[in-house]
Amino acid sequence: MPLLDLAEQVQQLRTMARDFEALHARVRDLSYTPGTDALRQISPLLLKAQDLTATVLVHLGTLESSAYSSVAGSRSSLECLASVAVASTLAGNDLASALSVNAYDGAPFPGYPADDASTHTARHAAAIPKMTEHLADAAHQLDLSATGCHYVATGITQDRDATREETVSPQAASAPALTRTQYDALKVLALGGGHLYESAQRGPGATRVATGDGTRISMATFRALNKRGLVGRDMSTRLSRGQKITVTKLGHQALARPRPAATTAQPARAAAAPPTLQGARR
């Protein structure tokens, strides 16, 4: 099975969720007049729903045929993504149904009288509640689609992190013991949580750790914990918005050990006195 950049897949699923949310808002807030106006406004929404359904199916096929399908817990994500395909398809069907009950203004068959003003108004009035019901159903299905995409993105992230913990465990077992500073930082993150941000003061590329209780954790300490698999971060979120830092199972195991003793500073050697030059004159 081919390897897959799961972080990129998660980002694309988040983007797709936002697309569903935007379409949901457009359908929910749609204002129209039955007839030609309704056809012009609903048709692009239907095409967008069909396009999103096709995108969902592409992601489903990509994930199912990749190495991700062998990861524990991946079946739930695949099944959820399949349900998103169902919801988005139903949304498209509801939008098409709204067009089906639309009151069109074409001419009747020969021999039938054309609509007068009152008949025209009555036909439009009768179409509105039917169209409104179909549009409400479409909006509901689009909301479910967005929620499903977020759920799958979160599931993939958790599955990836769990696999990463299992992979790093043998390396962590032989790693040197934590320093007191690293132990204390790990405990702060476990109790109050934290986020990794891009530093606005230092510019792009410079990062900082923000903790729940305001405790300062240096980037060197964070990198040491992250390298040993004791903490992870949500790579699906941009650094400008803050990537959530989580303490892994291995990190909690490290916290179960006694707090390291403080290192004793070695006394500085006294500076050697400069040699006295024999016969030197003042």
Side-chain angles (χ1 to χ4, degrees):
M1 293 184 179
L3 295 175
L4 190 66
D5 187 343
L6 292 181
E8 181 181 354
Q9 285 293 313
V10 167
Q11 187 63 42
Q12 291 176 0
L13 285 166
R14 298 287 188 197
T15 300
M16 191 162 58
R18 291 191 289 271
D19 289 341
F20 273 119
E21 290 166 350
L23 184 57
H24 165 261
R26 290 174 61 189
V27 173
R28 180 197 59 199
D29 300 333
L30 184 65
S31 178
Y32 64 93
T33 301
T36 303
D37 179 60
L39 177 62
R40 289 176 177 173
Q41 295 201 52
I42 297 176
S43 293
L45 305 181
L46 172 56
L47 293 173
K48 181 61 177 178
Q50 292 175 333
D51 182 59
L52 286 173
T53 300
T55 305
V56 171
L57 292 175
V58 170
H59 282 286
L60 179 59
T62 300
L63 289 169
E64 199 277 334
S65 60
S66 71
Y68 172 69
S69 62
S70 62
V71 174
S74 60
R75 181 186 300 174
S76 176
S77 296
L78 295 173
E79 290 175 347
C80 182
L81 196 55
S83 71
V84 172
V86 174
S88 60
T89 299
L90 291 175
N93 184 66
D94 287 319
L95 290 169
S97 296
L99 291 178
S100 176
V101 298
N102 184 27
Y104 296 99
D105 298 325
F109 285 112
Y112 287 84
D115 292 345
D116 55 21
S118 60
T119 302
H120 179 272
T121 301
R123 288 180 61 248
H124 280 225
I128 289 176
K130 298 177 183 178
M131 296 178 70
T132 299
E133 182 178 0
H134 286 304
L135 291 173
D137 289 342
H140 174 65
Q141 295 297 338
L142 291 170
D143 186 42
L144 291 178
S145 299
T147 301
C149 287
H150 282 304
Y151 182 89
V152 174
T154 301
I156 291 175
T157 301
Q158 293 174 344
D159 295 339
R160 181 194 62 191
D161 290 345
T163 303
R164 188 174 293 169
E165 287 179 29
E166 294 175 0
T167 303
V168 78
S169 294
Q171 300 174 355
S174 59
L178 296 179
T179 65
R180 175 171 285 197
T181 299
Q182 293 168 350
Y183 183 94
D184 290 344
L186 187 61
K187 187 173 183 179
V188 167
L189 293 172
L191 294 177
H195 289 78
L196 189 67
Y197 287 95
E198 191 171 59
S199 177
Q201 291 79 13
R202 298 182 180 179
T207 52
R208 63 181 178 86
V209 176
T211 60
D213 62 0
T215 301
R216 184 179 180 277
I217 297 177
S218 69
M219 282 305 302
T221 300
F222 171 77
R223 291 191 186 100
L225 297 175
N226 182 248
K227 183 178 181 180
R228 301 179 188 188
L230 303 179
V231 296
R233 55 180 172 137
D234 182 7
M235 299 291 288
S236 65
T237 307
R238 295 179 181 177
L239 280 171
S240 58
R241 299 182 61 183
Q243 296 179 345
K244 184 178 180 181
I245 300 172
T246 55
V247 176
T248 65
K249 181 179 179 181
L250 199 64
H252 286 288
Q253 292 174 355
L255 287 174
R257 301 170 186 168
R259 184 171 181 242
T263 55
T264 304
Q266 295 293 331
R269 292 184 178 181
T276 302
L277 298 179
Q278 299 294 331
R281 297 182 178 180
R282 291 177 180 262

